[in-house]
Amino acid sequence: MAVQVPRAPQRSARASEIVAESIRVQVARGELRPGDRFPTEDELMEIFGIARTTLREALRILEAEGLVTVLRGRHGGPRVTSPTVDHVAKAFALLLQLEGVTMSDIHQARELVEPTLAHTLAQTRTPQMLTELRAAVEAAEAAADADDGPAFLDAAAALHATIAEHGGNRSLGIFAQLLHEVAVRCHEASGRVATAEDRRRAVRYYRRLYKLVEAGDAAGAREHWRSRVAHAGEAGPTTGKEGDEPVDVFARPTELSGPGERTAAVRRR
């Protein structure tokens, strides 16, 4: 694996930022691929002409971005990784919350994006995609029958990932996954727990979607999934008599503290 030395920066920047940017560009261009191992620290220090502390700071920057993971142990060291939707969703959710975006805004965006993906899914269905979709539906049904909340969330995430991946537009697909992940995070942070009936109702929607996609009924799949997203929004934890609430993906301090622990709030001066 060849790691290139960065060009001289056009503006003042810390050495660690320059090194991180050089590696970031190589990953983005496919010159460094997920799974690639970096040379040893000593070799990287020689390549970039930097100190060990500067190198480790650069790797920490990339690790925070999901581009590098540092494995411990004899055969450890830094390796190239690819950011997951879950990783990117953390920053995306924080941005939405800081901008004061409301949950109704999130649900409206989902209603615009997800039905379009479902429409294309039915138009371009393939045996492989149908197998993936059926497996997600069956996993969701099994989890609902067992009243297993975590397993149901995993199955629902797999179903949405299948729709996003095979919906004919990767940009919209990734956006849809981010919106779905934000909605899930807000749901969890609110403390609301899905009921057994919630899960059974969702499974009915999933089964119907599969039948429509399998039959190639694109219009039916679009309208059905629009109904599903709309219902999910209406049943959300942040809509009610008090009006629409802003996105909030963080649990309350009492939920973050363990037994006997205290949390501290930073106050403005």
Side-chain angles (χ1 to χ4, degrees):
M1 184 186 80
V3 178
Q4 300 175 8
V5 178
R7 297 179 180 178
Q10 297 180 348
R11 61 177 178 82
S12 176
R14 292 186 301 175
S16 58
E17 294 174 340
I18 297 171
V19 172
E21 176 65 11
S22 174
I23 296 175
R24 186 183 299 117
V25 168
Q26 292 176 68
V27 173
R29 291 176 175 170
E31 297 165 7
L32 299 177
R33 298 183 179 278
D36 284 349
R37 296 182 62 178
F38 285 86
T40 65
E41 278 194 349
D42 290 340
E43 291 173 319
L44 287 171
M45 288 162 57
E46 183 177 352
I47 290 171
F48 291 116
I50 56 176
R52 192 179 306 276
T53 54
T54 302
L55 173 63
R56 290 181 175 178
E57 183 179 355
L59 292 176
R60 281 195 295 270
I61 292 171
L62 295 168
E63 191 170 21
E65 295 174 353
L67 295 174
V68 166
T69 184
V70 180
L71 303 177
R72 311 302 175 188
R74 182 178 178 183
H75 301 291
R79 296 191 182 192
V80 179
T81 56
S82 179
T84 63
V85 168
D86 180 71
H87 186 96
V88 176
K90 294 178 181 178
F92 182 58
L94 178 59
L95 174 62
L96 294 177
Q97 183 161 342
L98 291 174
E99 290 292 324
V101 173
T102 63
M103 285 305 299
S104 65
D105 189 286
I106 296 294
H107 294 309
Q108 287 171 13
R110 292 184 65 190
E111 286 185 50
L112 288 172
V113 175
E114 293 189 30
T116 298
L117 296 173
H119 180 273
T120 306
L121 194 72
Q123 282 186 322
T124 61
R125 65 199 183 284
T126 64
Q128 177 186 348
M129 181 274 290
L130 288 172
T131 297
E132 293 177 18
L133 189 62
R134 183 172 60 251
V137 173
E138 291 175 349
E141 186 167 12
D145 290 341
D147 200 18
D148 188 336
F152 183 85
L153 286 176
D154 289 342
L159 183 137
H160 280 83
T162 300
I163 295 173
E165 182 178 351
H166 298 284
N169 186 301
R170 289 301 293 139
S171 297
L172 285 179
I174 292 172
F175 185 46
Q177 285 184 279
L178 288 173
L179 291 171
H180 172 72
E181 184 63 26
V182 170
V184 170
R185 287 172 184 267
C186 289
H187 180 97
E188 293 176 342
S190 73
R192 180 180 182 273
V193 178
T195 65
E197 179 55 32
D198 289 335
R199 299 189 189 103
R200 287 193 293 268
R201 183 182 299 109
V203 168
R204 289 195 291 271
Y205 273 106
Y206 298 165
R207 285 201 302 256
R208 178 60 179 163
L209 175 67
Y210 177 81
K211 291 179 180 179
L212 291 167
V213 171
E214 184 182 38
D217 186 349
R222 181 183 60 237
E223 292 308 312
H224 174 70
W225 205 242
R226 178 179 288 115
S227 174
R228 166 57 187 164
V229 175
H231 180 271
E234 292 170 358
T238 57
T239 54
K241 294 180 180 179
E242 297 182 359
D244 194 31
E245 296 293 334
V247 167
D248 188 349
V249 295
F250 298 102
R252 297 294 180 265
T254 53
E255 298 169 19
L256 293 173
S257 303
E261 295 179 348
R262 297 177 61 188
T263 58
V266 179
R267 301 185 183 280
R268 293 185 299 176
R269 298 181 60 185

